[in-house]
């Protein structure tokens, strides 16, 4: 039945695209973490995140959202595209640029949030003998931005050219569920005392929660634009 061949090609294209989405997502997220830590080390700034905090972020961002992107329903117009050149790079059509922009944006916004946290307590990157509570507060702001920006950014990676509204914001329920679970876990680890103590985190004020959520949405909005 020749119809089977058509369906097989469509399924193969969607599988390839989903693998690409998951890889680009993981590259962008991990690049953001590398930028955050590397810039801080090279410029002799305080380290914005502790190792345990980075491990927690990887736990909630590198698992469920990446898996959800891997089972994305796929593009309905995928069969209208020309056949892909077998020699074409995995990062063709600007995929590498999107990963770089996303990673650097996530890293830069994490550092900006860290700076805001320090400045609220009268410190800057060059300050010596920063109070431990002030440092933990600033790290909490960086912690939230780094995690939430990665979760939100996953939505914009579902398609390279179509807006999330055009493909359907709720068409991948697994991804929406993964983001909701990630946000709940992130909120819990900061607000539940025994968890926040284990990760050296401090609950933020309402204004700072709004600030870090605003920062976390920027990579998604820029990529959508």
């Amino acid at each position: 039945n020749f119809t089977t061949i058509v369906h097989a090609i469509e399924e193969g294209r969607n599988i390839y695209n989903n693998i690409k989405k998951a890889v680009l997502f993981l590259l962008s997220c991990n690049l953001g973490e590398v930028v955050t830590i590397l810039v801080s080390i090279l410029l002799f700034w305080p380290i914005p995140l502790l190792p345990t905090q980075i491990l927690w972020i990887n736990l909630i961002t590198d698992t469920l959202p990446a898996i959800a992107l891997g089972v994305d329903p796929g593009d309905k117009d995928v069969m209208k595209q020309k056949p892909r050149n077998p020699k074409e790079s995995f990062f063709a059509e600007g995929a590498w640029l999107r990963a770089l922009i996303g990673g650097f944006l996530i890293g830069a916004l994490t550092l900006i949030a860290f700076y805001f946290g320090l400045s609220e307590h009268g410190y800057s990157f060059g300050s010596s003998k920063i109070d431990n509570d002030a440092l933990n507060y600033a790290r909490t702001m960086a912690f939230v931005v780094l995690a939430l920006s990665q979760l939100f950014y996953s939505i914009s990676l579902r398609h390279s050219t179509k807006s999330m509204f055009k493909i359907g914001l709720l068409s991948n329920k697994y991804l929406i569920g993964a983001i909701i679970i990630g946000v709940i876990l992130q909120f819990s680890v900061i607000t539940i005392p025994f968890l926040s103590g284990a990760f050296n985190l401090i609950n933020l004020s309402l204004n700072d929660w709004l600030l870090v959520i605003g920062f976390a949405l920027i990579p998604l909005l820029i990529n959508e634009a």
Side-chain angles (χ1 to χ4, degrees):
N1 189 335
F2 288 104
T3 307
T4 306
I5 298 175
V6 178
H7 292 319
I9 293 172
E10 182 177 5
E11 187 71 14
R13 288 185 174 189
N14 280 324
I15 289 172
Y16 180 85
N17 289 338
N18 286 353
I19 293 171
K20 194 170 184 176
K21 295 172 196 175
V23 171
L24 289 177
F25 171 69
L26 293 172
L27 281 176
S28 299
C29 293
N30 287 286
L31 179 59
E33 295 171 13
V34 169
V35 168
T36 301
I37 302 301
L38 186 61
V39 169
S40 302
I41 292 173
L42 293 178
L43 298 180
F44 302 100
W45 293 344
I47 300 299
L49 294 158
L50 299 174
T52 51
Q53 294 169 351
I54 295 175
L55 288 172
W56 171 266
I57 290 171
N58 286 338
L59 178 66
I60 67 169
T61 60
D62 288 2
T63 50
L64 294 180
I67 292 171
L69 285 172
V71 294
D72 197 68
D75 185 6
K76 296 177 181 178
D77 298 325
V78 72
M79 292 302 286
K80 295 179 182 179
Q81 300 169 7
K82 293 180 180 180
R84 179 178 55 85
N85 188 338
K87 297 181 181 179
E88 178 183 275
S89 167
F90 188 78
F91 299 101
E93 298 179 353
W96 64 273
L97 184 60
R98 294 179 70 201
L100 283 177
I101 291 174
F104 277 103
L105 268 176
I106 291 170
L109 289 164
T110 302
L111 289 172
I112 292 170
F114 183 61
Y115 174 78
F116 267 83
L118 289 176
S119 63
E120 286 182 11
H121 293 82
Y123 297 101
S124 66
F125 287 140
S127 300
S128 58
K129 297 181 179 179
I130 299 175
D131 180 73
N132 198 49
D133 286 341
L135 189 57
N136 285 339
Y137 193 90
R139 280 176 174 161
T140 303
M141 292 185 69
F143 179 71
V144 175
V145 171
L146 185 59
L148 294 190
S149 61
Q150 294 180 15
L151 290 172
F152 296 152
Y153 188 68
S154 64
I155 300 173
S156 69
L157 289 177
R158 290 189 58 202
H159 203 283
S160 59
T161 58
K162 292 180 181 178
S163 164
M164 60 183 178
F165 298 107
K166 191 170 184 179
I167 60 176
L169 185 59
L170 302 178
S171 57
N172 187 341
K173 293 180 174 59
Y174 295 110
L175 182 59
I176 299 301
I179 293 170
I180 292 172
I181 291 171
V183 171
I184 292 172
L185 288 173
Q186 191 70 5
F187 184 76
S188 300
V189 78
I190 294 171
T191 55
I192 298 175
F194 80 91
L195 287 175
S196 60
F199 286 92
N200 295 304
L201 300 168
I202 297 176
N203 196 10
L204 305 176
S205 67
L206 178 60
N207 287 339
D208 284 338
W209 271 112
L210 295 174
L211 181 68
V212 294
I213 290 172
F215 282 154
L217 286 169
I218 291 176
L220 166 63
L221 297 176
I222 289 178
N223 202 34
E224 279 296 292

